[in-house]
Amino acid sequence: MIKAILIFNNHGKPRLSKFYEHYTEDTEQQIIRETFHLVSKRDENVCNFLEGGMLIGGSDYKLIYRHYATLYFVFCVDSSESELGILDLIQVKVFVETLDKCFENVCELDLIFHVDKVHNILAEMVMGGMVLETNMNEIITQVDAQNKMEKSEAGIAGAPARAVSAVKNMNLPEMPRNINIGDISIKVPNLPSFK
Amino acid sequence: MALKIVKGSIDRMFDKNLQDLVRGIRNHKEDEAKYISTCIDEIKQELKQDNIAVKANAVCKLTYLQMLGYDVSWAAFNIVEVMSSSKFTYKRIGYLAASQCFHESTDVIMLTTNQIRKDLSSPNQYDTGVALTGLSCFVTPDLARDLANDIMTLMSHTKPYIRKKAVLIMYKVFLKYPESLRPAFPRLKEKLEDPDPGVQSAAVNVICELARRNPKNYLSLAPLFFKLMTSSTNNWVLIKIIKLFGALTPLEPRLGKKLIEPLTNLIHSTSAMSLLYECVNTVIAVLISLSSGMPNHSASIQLCVQKLRILIEDSDQNLKYLGLLAMSKILKTHPKSVQSHKDLILQCLDDKDESIRLRALDLLYGMVSKKNLMEIVKKLMLHVDKAEGTTYRDELLTKIIDICSQSNYQYITNFEWYISILVELTRLEGTRHGHLIASQMLDVAIRVKAIRAFAVAQMATLLDNAHLLTGNMQRNGICEVLYAAAWICGEFSEHLENPMQTLEAMLRPKVATLPGHIQAVYVQNAAKLFATVLKSQEGNTDSTAAQETSQLMIDRLPLFVQSANLEVQERASCILQLVKYIQKLQQKDVEIAEEVNALFAGELNPVAPKAQKKVPVPEGLDLDAWINEPPSESESEDEQPKAIFAKEEPKHSRPRHTEVDEKELARRREARKQEQANNPFYIKASPSSQKVYQDTPGVEHIPVVQIDLSVPLKVPGLPMSDQYVKLEEERRQKERAEKKKKEKKKRKEKRSGRGKKHDSGPESEEDITPAHQVDIVTEEMPENALPSDDDDKDPNDPHKALDIDLDKPLADSEKLPVRSHRETPKSPAEDGDTENAALQEPKKKSTKEKREKKKDKDRDRKKSKEEKKKKKHKHEEKEEDLLGGQADAPVVQSEETSEVVAPPTSTNPEVSDLDFWLSNAPVPSNTQEATTVAEAEAAPPPEAASGTAPDSEPDQPQDADTEEAKSSKHKKKKQKKEKEEKEKKKKKKHHHHHHHSDGGGEESVQNGTVEEEEPLPPMSNYCLLAENSYIKMVYDIQGNLQDGSQVVVSVIFENKGDSFLKSMEFNVLDSLNSKLQRPDGSGPHDGLTVPFQLPPGVSNEARFVFTVQSIIMPQKLKGTLTFIVKNEDSSTHEKLDFKLHFTCTSYLITTPCYSDAFAKLLESGDLKGSSVRLEGVNMPFHHLLARICFHHHFSVVERIDSCASMYSRSIQGHHVCLLVKTSGQTVSIDAKCDEPTLLGNVLDEIKQTFSQC
């Protein structure tokens, strides 16, 4: 069984947390902090298994993690899971690769802004703490089909919202705040709601 | 309309969405909390709006905030609202939020039952999927109970996507609702051979989880798993199965033998490290389970160790780590094979990765022997010096102590060396484990009597150099060793070379800076030392020396009397007064040394840590009654039966000491001595020395250890353990040489410190004799210690409840509660939004199936022949269904057979199958043969037992139903109701059978024999829609209470021919009143594609939603089904016309009603009456009622003799009340309803129902 899946960045900011057992919000944050503490102080070239987070599980549980650029992917699993299998699940065939495919070169920003999508992808891979699917193509097919459905539901009504969000997602900070042509100074209106 | 939507969405698009929220939070780094609180206010506003899109957006944002640690449980109800949106987009958001923040104590969860059930049966597979995923996170016992049956139905869904999710979630359901395990297990087992690899993997996953906790119940699945293991190519599945076998082998060594070969093959062939590793792990488990030392398995061990070596040598730290982990498992049973890799493991101690170093340390623990202990510890000591970081150093320290002290110091041949190691360890700075070292010192000094002199000398040095240890005092854990040192010096002061010096060292003013408990020990032991010193000084003629010593005490002790620590203060003032008194006597020239010594006479013995716990309560002794009859106590103790008298060590006949007047303490001591004397664990030097011991408790009579090496007993500085290593080497060499010459063991024994000796190492192993024969005193245990192992399991472990025998045939009572809306009344709270129409059919199927399974078993004896035929038929169907090829056949068959045999033969047939399988040759190819043979063998018994089983049959359903009704949620209902329910259920079951025999479900054929025994004729709401030579359609219509304008038509399509049917399109000509709901974007005349294809002989169900405006009139819709018939060579386009008949009955929904509410309704006067008479109805009244309930969706409010009131409600909220009376063959029905047209039509339909029969 997988007890929890956590993604946080190099500073311990949670990017995704999925607990397959109930904890209060406070405990969850504490677990994330503790896990971050354990994981972040490890060197790059040491093994990816860690025994005994105090809060989660106990002696039967292991933390299995991988570190990519700015993100840590941590799975807390018990002894019924194969350590190497879970490592593979994180990287080689499944999780990160799927994210990569779905977001086209995934980076931390994708996870920050689309945590719901990451959850949806994860849901096709792990369910209730058990591995549901390990075939990346199958996962992507299902995720795509659901996204398509979402789009078709939005239909015509969704169009303006999409347009707005496209505008919102434009990289506004790059727009000059003031345009100076000779003496004429044009103040570009600040659009706080667009930011 | 469209414009309105667009306008609405334009308004909405300026709402903050999730991305805006995240962006906002990132832009407000400095006042994040404040920003978020304003956002939460916004969200609260959004949640108040009616627009579901706005709500969904808000919930989506809440999910994000939840991740950041904000409690969002206040929005639980809104989450439920979003979950129940009809749009997938919002539904998904709702379920995600629910899965993140719902838990068992979330009270709104109970509102979700029906919503989830509706989603589970949604025609859209992703609605179902999303519901399953969500449910897996927040399933509660109530949800599990109510939905278990629905989920079980989904396990046979046509889409593998749903199947795999449904299979997986069953594990959660089992955990929350253990009763569901047995009914669901057969189907779960079936899924192990699902054609879809995902489903198969899910089933393996679930069973592995189950089996891990209660392996013995799953042994019977071993053959099946074995087959999977040899056939599957999916590494995930293989790993799971192999792990499962690892859990099973300890229970069944024969299984292990069978496994070795295929596992070794896998080890050789696989390239996947993960699989290789798990194989090795399981082989290890197998080897452990087999009695070790079997010669033919040494190859496997070698293979494992060799593969593990490759892993450990790998540059990948992960492999290295796992290699070490697995190695430690081998170590337990085959230490020799691991010990040859000591080099590698010692190498790992230098690894930069702490986890790996710790693993290597663990391994070392098991690898030590008498031969290499010193060497290994020496290496470790080097690491201690090098280690940076106190945690690792502390770890090393504890490991060194663990290694040395394991199994009662088994591997230590030279205790002087060990003491020196301990003393060396005291030089560690900042360790937390000072107390550990201290307790080791105490333990060794107390239990190894021969070493006391040496230990005392060392401790005296330590005390002398205390200032070296106590650099920074209180914070320094190492000062704990001074506790031990002081105690040892005091207690065994007779061994002290220079007690006066030590006494002085103990009374230094600096001692006052030590922690209180240590000071207390100092003070107490100073007194002991004082006694010793006094004794030696009094012998002299000069009495001034003795007086000077007293003066020293009197001078120094006041320092301690002022101590803030109570303990120290008390002891110090006590002793001070004593010494003052002694001084007075000394001045009078009284010899008092004897008396002072008497204060500290006697020996302290170690007491086992569990001693107190192990004291048994003697049989017949009531601890409460004791006070009233005090005299009887001593008797009862003497009368203790020997049975409780189990000690860890075997004893010879034990003479009991029954000196009546002796004090308890003395008696015990004597007993202990006696016991030690008779204990074979102690090697006696000679019978005479044994006697010597008994008579003279002193050491003086025995020649003091003449160690054949010249270790200086007083080490001036701190000792170096290394010199002992060298000396030990020399000693061993010398010994070996001596040994060659002649046996000189006796001499050694003479040298030993005490008469009774414990030769900690019999000469066996490497011919290493301990440097001195040591007497390791065992810890004292109470007289009648119970050998209890304290492996109490966690009583809260949810898996405990899942320890269920799965091989027993299903009893009738063991059914999942089916909450079918037809008849089951609900708690009034849920009245409003109770039932939804969907998923009637699958539910029935599964009930039926379970029932049928049971029936099979019971009846099979009688009709074994018939049954056989059916089995075959069923079997064929299964094969077709699974498209699984012949490979599946034998196993399925054997399972079936074993089910058949189950009741008559008391022995479990599956187990015997297993026996058979296990006793077979271990070649995998034999498996199938074996099972078939087993099947053949199993076949005869049913006939033999046929006489008995059916007799009990008629009663069983009744009981079972009662039980079921009780177990179901609705047990609060009145007794009467229960009765009615019972009947209804019964009927329903019939209905299932019936339906399936014509509807052609997977198991349909098995029902042929059921009806005649049941009191009720079969009923089905499914009526024929249309039929031709290719296809047959039956349908049922149910209203949807949640939407007053919707009905759901369930159509079962059955392929009657032997060709493949595909591209089925279902179309209906809409009327003004009723319209088929088509997906967005399709025209009003487009057909709906039936979401499946039909292989020959298969049937499946599809649901179509219709909107109806008015429900007061029945109506008919014309429709057409078009489909393509595909043969091997040709495909033709066919069509089939049909007429859908929407009866008024189908708009009614079974709704429970309490009699008082019913009475109020009738009194209200809003209802208009009507009545009808039925003639010539000759059926029992309860049958009649059941029929009305079943076919016309009524529920019984009250029944008095031959009169009953019934109630139902239409989807648009019309109340329909019936009063049914019967006399003879005439039934009169008086009815009231707020819509007379509807009522008239309903009554007509009721009339028609009864005219048909």
Side-chain angles (χ1 to χ4, degrees), chain B residues 61 283 376 389 393 414 426 472 517 557 736 842 911 939 1103 1122 1248:
Chain B
K61 288 189 278 186
V283 169
I376 287 180
R393 210 167 49 185
N414 186 336
T426 60
N472 41 1
H517 65 285
L557 277 174
R736 249 173 271 147
V911 170
R1103 295 185 188 79
T1122 57
Q1248 208 177 353

Side-chain angles (χ1 to χ4, degrees), chain A residues 1 17-18 22 29 47-48 51 78-80 113 124 128 133-134 142 149 153 164 168-169, chain B residues 13 19-20 23 67 88-89 99-100 103 124 126 161 164 172 209 212 236 243 318 321 353 359:
Chain A
M1 286 279 278
S17 68
K18 182 88 208 170
H22 176 70
Q29 294 304 308
C47 74
N48 299 112
E51 276 154 80
D78 70 9
S79 61
S80 73
F113 285 106
E124 295 302 322
E133 184 60 68
T134 52
Q142 302 297 356
M149 228 171 95
E153 274 182 356
V164 168
K168 282 178 184 170
N169 288 334
Chain B
M13 71 195 180
Q19 280 77 35
D20 300 323
R23 209 170 283 135
M67 182 181 81
F88 172 73
T89 317
S99 74
Q100 292 292 88
H103 50 94
N124 181 344
Y126 292 113
Y161 178 76
K164 71 180 178 193
K172 293 277 175 167
E209 280 297 334
R212 202 163 68 93
W236 260 97
K243 266 184 168 288
N318 294 324
Y321 173 85
D353 188 348
R359 285 276 142 242

Side-chain angles (χ1 to χ4, degrees), chain A residues 1-2 7 13-23 25-26 28-29 32 42-43 45-51 60-62 66 78-89 93-94 108-109 111-117 119-120 123-124 126-134 138 141-143 145-147 149-154 156-158 160-161 164-165 168-169 193-195, chain B residues 5-6 9-10 12-20 22-24 26-27 29 32 60 63-64 66-73 86-90 92 96 99-103 124-127 129-130 132-133 136-137 161 164-166 168-169 171-172 175 198 201-202 205-206 209 212-213 234 236 239-240 243 273-274 277-278 316-319 321-322 325 352-356 359 1080:
Chain A
M1 286 279 278
I2 300 170
I7 304 178
K13 282 245 190 279
R15 293 306 177 210
L16 175 126
S17 68
K18 182 88 208 170
F19 290 87
Y20 294 103
E21 221 160 82
H22 176 70
Y23 295 99
E25 274 76 12
D26 288 342
E28 284 185 5
Q29 294 304 308
I32 294 173
R42 291 176 65 83
D43 287 339
N45 47 4
V46 299
C47 74
N48 299 112
F49 314 118
L50 255 177
E51 276 154 80
D60 195 34
Y61 284 83
K62 276 204 182 77
R66 275 203 187 264
D78 70 9
S79 61
S80 73
E81 300 293 340
S82 147
E83 292 90 344
L84 292 172
I86 294 286
L87 265 187
D88 281 358
L89 188 73
K93 288 160 239 151
V94 209
E108 191 184 342
L109 279 178
L111 268 67
I112 294 173
F113 285 106
H114 301 284
V115 65
D116 48 341
K117 285 185 187 161
H119 267 297
N120 295 336
E124 295 302 322
V126 178
M127 191 176 117
M130 283 178 287
V131 177
L132 177 70
E133 184 60 68
T134 52
E138 171 72 14
T141 316
Q142 302 297 356
V143 169
Q146 290 176 51
N147 289 343
M149 228 171 95
E150 199 173 51
K151 259 183 203 148
S152 78
E153 274 182 356
I156 191 160
V164 168
S165 84
K168 282 178 184 170
N169 288 334
S193 69
F194 270 34
K195 216 177 146 194
Chain B
I5 293 171
V6 172
S9 68
I10 288 177
R12 278 200 331 263
M13 71 195 180
F14 291 104
D15 283 348
K16 225 179 254 160
N17 65 14
L18 174 61
Q19 280 77 35
D20 300 323
V22 176
R23 209 170 283 135
R26 285 162 69 80
N27 287 340
K29 285 223 167 77
E32 194 181 291
C60 185
T63 313
Y64 182 80
Q66 194 273 342
M67 182 181 81
L68 297 185
Y70 289 84
D71 176 24
V72 299
S73 54
S86 58
K87 278 199 177 175
F88 172 73
T89 317
Y90 305 140
R92 181 158 79 166
L96 174 62
S99 74
Q100 292 292 88
C101 66
F102 281 14
H103 50 94
N124 181 344
Q125 63 164 331
Y126 292 113
D127 283 353
V130 129
L132 284 172
T133 309
S136 73
C137 289
Y161 178 76
K164 71 180 178 193
K165 288 197 169 193
L168 214 53
I169 202 179
Y171 177 66
K172 293 277 175 167
L175 278 186
S201 148
N205 219 333
V206 170
E209 280 297 334
R212 202 163 68 93
R213 315 290 180 146
N234 180 342
W236 260 97
I239 287 175
K240 284 277 172 196
K243 266 184 168 288
M273 273 302 178
S274 45
Y277 173 68
E278 295 304 337
D316 185 343
Q317 298 284 325
N318 294 324
L319 298 182
Y321 173 85
L322 293 175
L325 202 64
K352 54 192 173 303
D353 188 348
E354 196 175 301
S355 323
I356 287 174
R359 285 276 142 242
D1080 294 347

